[in-house]
Amino acid sequence: EDKVVQSPLSLVVHEGDTVTLNCSYEVTNFRSLLWYKQEKKAPTFLFMLTSSGIEKKSGRLSSILDKKELFSILNITATQTGDSAVYLCAALTGGGNKLTFGTGTQLKVEL
Amino acid sequence: KAGVTQTPRYLIKTRGQQVTLSCSPISGHRSVSWYQQTPGQGLQFLFEYFSETQRNKGNFPGRFSGRQFSNSRSEMNVSTLELGDSALYLCASSLVGYGETQYFGPGTRLLVL
């Protein structure tokens, strides 16, 4: 059975801190690893990673994939209260568009 | 460009009833996937439709079904509702459903009493 595990489950930091969120996966027919941010409702897309070792960046967020060790990390630098959300990672597998999600990391950024 | 829309946004049903949820993808998108989100199980894949055909299916009982129309709009149906079906149902659309980014709708919150 496909499995995606995220850690930590929750995290409380202060504004300005740097955080690292972890995602490991054990799936068959792996194609890509995706990160989403979910605040109140719909998950919003952050990154899609397909190749190992290539960092993707968007502002203060960055992510990298290690296909040998089967994990990915999401870094957020200089955190802001607006970064408070659940961060989800998901493995895209097989043909089509099936995503297997982890349970998410709840991040709270305090002043 | 309008995003993914889902109707209704909230729904209350009783056990044993059935329910139909609707999803309109982003214009031009032909793949629609459905997910169930609960506090205990997180986001779980239900099924994916492309060109009116079910292409992938998750591990849900046969009470959960779906379909897609020629304009790519999709519906999912849950028959004989159980308390455990209370969840946020999300749909996501993408261009052709082969590894491109999936964009999620706001979801339908279903409460089964």
Side-chain angles (χ1 to χ4, degrees):
Chain A
E1 187 182 328
D2 292 346
K3 193 174 174 186
V4 175
V5 178
Q6 291 186 246
S7 65
L9 290 180
S10 66
L11 196 52
V12 181
V13 301
H14 290 103
E15 260 202 339
D17 287 349
T18 293
V19 298
T20 298
L21 309 183
N22 304 294
C23 175
S24 63
Y25 59 93
E26 282 182 48
V27 300
T28 53
N29 298 318
F30 174 85
R31 287 163 51 209
S32 300
L33 193 290
L34 291 87
W35 285 95
Y36 284 86
K37 177 184 181 182
Q38 186 174 29
E39 295 175 83
K40 293 290 185 184
K41 293 161 189 167
T44 54
F45 172 78
L46 294 174
F47 298 110
M48 177 187 281
L49 304 151
T50 304
S51 301
S52 230
I54 298 174
E55 186 183 51
K56 291 213 170 178
K57 283 198 78 156
S58 176
R60 296 176 294 102
L61 278 66
S62 63
S63 184
I64 197 161
L65 174 68
D66 185 328
K67 288 168 76 172
K68 185 179 175 187
E69 299 298 328
L70 308 183
F71 79 89
S72 174
I73 60 171
L74 175 69
N75 278 317
I76 309 174
T77 59
T79 51
Q80 302 170 356
T81 54
D83 295 327
S84 296
V86 174
Y87 290 83
L88 297 160
C89 77
L92 179 68
T93 60
N97 249 2
K98 179 184 174 184
L99 287 173
T100 300
F101 280 88
T103 50
T105 293
Q106 172 86 58
L107 173 64
K108 185 175 180 185
V109 181
E110 295 180 336
L111 288 169
Chain B
K1 215 177 206 183
V4 178
T5 58
Q6 292 186 244
T7 57
R9 296 293 309 279
Y10 302 92
L11 207 45
I12 300 175
K13 291 285 187 180
T14 55
R15 276 182 300 174
Q17 287 187 310
Q18 76 163 18
V19 67
T20 299
L21 312 180
S22 180
C23 172
S24 292
I26 291 171
S27 178
H29 285 194
R30 292 166 59 196
S31 167
V32 174
S33 299
W34 287 89
Y35 295 84
Q36 181 196 65
Q37 187 172 32
T38 59
Q41 299 295 321
L43 264 158
Q44 292 186 286
F45 174 79
L46 280 156
F47 28 64
E48 180 204 358
Y49 285 87
F50 177 73
S51 290
E52 301 177 65
T53 301
Q54 187 180 89
R55 186 157 62 176
N56 277 300
K57 191 176 188 311
N59 296 323
F60 278 81
R63 299 185 297 106
F64 291 81
S65 62
R67 60 178 175 165
Q68 186 180 35
F69 302 94
S70 58
N71 62 358
S72 295
R73 190 178 70 84
S74 177
E75 287 181 348
M76 67 163 279
N77 184 278
V78 188
S79 62
T80 320
L81 283 166
E82 300 177 0
L83 296 179
D85 297 334
S86 295
L88 180 67
Y89 290 89
L90 292 159
C91 83
S93 78
S94 68
L95 275 171
V96 292
Y98 197 74
E100 329 87 40
T101 302
Q102 294 184 50
Y103 295 92
F104 282 83
T108 294
R109 173 79 61 187
L110 172 65
L111 177 62
V112 182
L113 300 175

